[in-house]
Amino acid sequence: MLISLYLWTQSLSLCTAEMPVLDREPSRDSGGGDGLPKLPLPALKDTLDMYLSCMKHLLTEEQFNKTQNVVKQFGAPGGVGELLQSKLMERRENKANWVYEYWMNDMYLNNRLALPVNSSPVMVFPLQHFRAPIDSLRFAAHMISGVLEYKTLLDSRSLPVDYARGQLAGTPLCMEQYYRLFTSYRLPGTERDTLVAQESSVMPEPEHIIVACKNQFFVLDVVINFRRLNERDLLTQLDKITRMADSKEEHLPPIGLLTSDGRTEWAQARSELMRESTNRDALDMIERCMCLVCLDDPSGPELSDTTRAMLMLHGGGVAKNGGNRWYDKPMQFVVGADGCCGVVCEHSAFEGIVLVQCTEYLLKYMIGSPSKLVRAASVSELPAPRRLRWKCSPEIHQLLASSADKLQRQVKNLDMNVYKFCDYGKEFIKKQKMSPDAYIQVALQLAFYRCHSRPVSTYESASIRRFKQGRVDNIRSATLEALTFVKAMTDGKLHTSDTEKMEMLRDAITAQTKYTILSITGMAIDNHLLGLRELAHELKMEKPEIFQDEAFLVSNQFILSTSQVPTTVEMFCCYGPVVPNGYGACYNPQSDHIIFSVSSFLDSPQTCSAEFVKCLVQGLMDIGDLCNKCNSSSNTTQKKQGQTLETHTQTETNWQSKTPQRPADKTETQQSLPQFVLKTPDQTKVEAQTQTPSLAETRALKNGSKS
């Protein structure tokens, strides 16, 4: 089944029933959500009916007729579906979350694709303007100070609980994901990876980070003699590291490149590395560290939003900073000497909201607690950071060459387009009494239809953190109502009036809203179907026909993979497509503009990010014009759906209560981070995850210059 491709970035993600994903169960104080309800299990008939409803307009009549019969047989009284449903009900009784392990393995750990581009999302900061090399180190030291502050909150369990907004407002949300930020590691496996939790009652918490510089790795102890290093000390140590990294006679092979390879290939390379005790010690230090800080060399003269997005996703390959990474760690903070900065996230440990919340805390910390702008101290009592050593066999050198070649192919293949739509933002959409997220989702459907003259299965992540150990389910945005609207907007032969189009738009937004509510309350179809399929496998049953049917394959080929990742600080998120002929479309709606990050692959003759963005912009303009026309002429059509709620995708969170505010956050300073612009947090914040005709135009654009 292609569910494994709907990873949120291959993500935009148990052959044996009880294989643990973590090495321990969440403790009662870990934010695991002991007081939260269990994830509900939808009725079998409801899921099967919804499945048919979602797929009917995406299939030919012949395909749908066959699928109807297959679904009817699966759901028949006393049939396979009822047996599997009863087993799922038993599983729900015995598990904290009946789908968690199935979902984790299917979405991430079973996936064999390389993490960069295919799975790991990134946050891209505004371009920083460092006047001298010491400025970038000062920025890094300041950020590390913020990381240590945030980790203190996590260690003391002082992070405020998130609460849902919108539907079921005030419901507490599961906090378990936050406590994996600096304490977990994705261990590669030949068939399946393992998400390992580092904390234990025996071993102490990690007290070091790893600094990558010029493809070398250094251990930076942040606690020395029971004292946490202050920013001055951190700057001193970072300065030492850059000097050590400049020593060319001590340069070692760029081992980090191995982590950019396919997961099976990296697992095999790691086994080869483990033959040497020196390598085992180095791997242990990396796997137990809090996080990575990657001090990147300048990448080139042109640093547009699009360029910086690509550099964050893959490092620019071997010739640039592609080896200056360790992709298995959940958090890699990238500080480029040329001002190209951001965060690379290994996605299996947590969803986008956790990445956003942590990153916003850090940036607000840096603004509210300005750097002292001190020089690096020449303090002799600070021991020098340690360079990690590697012993490389001829086999390792061959594997490094292979990994480098594959990463370079990814670099050449990524087609990224970051576009800031400035004609309006979510405030205009709210004035239409529409959900901004639903509105943008309909616009994405219109853009794809304009490009490719057909609808496709679409993925949008919906948080199910209202429930114990909740992660996400899928909002299926390619609704029949959306298709009806986009056809009316694109087919000149229909002669549909503006009033009728407006009615269709409201119907499409209502349908999107209803499915969103189903998803966030645990009643969507994708997790349920995944559970039924996995149970059949566990029971060693012949795969039920419903999971072999062509419609099921189509339903899980998410050619359009979307996510809403809003921020209150000037930055944006992006990721790659989840299928070879697809698009990744991440968006960040702000009051008066919307940032879109659209990705695809150049080797697909069916896709072109620039063409998609062109159609998206045209669609947003057309829908905006339609709203203006209808609202200026009559309010009649608004009354029917005038109470449409603004619903949320990934999370419905009180963002003002989520990010602890330091007293200094309220001071105004341009000294430390002049490029970051703070906005008032909205009362309704959303998380998402969080992607095809062969046009002559498309090919021309693909062969032309790319930004």
Side-chain angles (χ1 to χ4, degrees), residues 73-128:
Q73 182 182 3
F74 181 78
V80 174
E82 284 195 352
L83 170 64
L84 294 173
Q85 178 77 353
S86 67
K87 295 293 184 182
L88 265 188
M89 291 173 70
E90 291 176 14
R91 182 180 175 86
R92 183 178 183 272
E93 290 300 312
N94 298 325
K95 292 277 187 183
N97 185 307
W98 60 267
V99 81
Y100 179 82
E101 288 163 355
Y102 292 157
W103 178 90
M104 175 66 75
N105 284 301
D106 189 69
M107 184 72 90
Y108 296 112
L109 304 183
N110 287 340
N111 182 35
R112 301 292 82 202
L113 294 171
L115 297 184
V117 179
N118 299 311
S119 181
S120 296
V122 301
M123 295 297 303
V124 183
F125 296 170
L127 182 62
Q128 299 300 299

Side-chain angles (χ1 to χ4, degrees), residues 583-596:
Y583 295 99
C586 189
Y587 51 98
N588 182 350
Q590 296 295 313
S591 294
D592 59 356
H593 66 273
I594 309 167
I595 302 171
F596 291 96

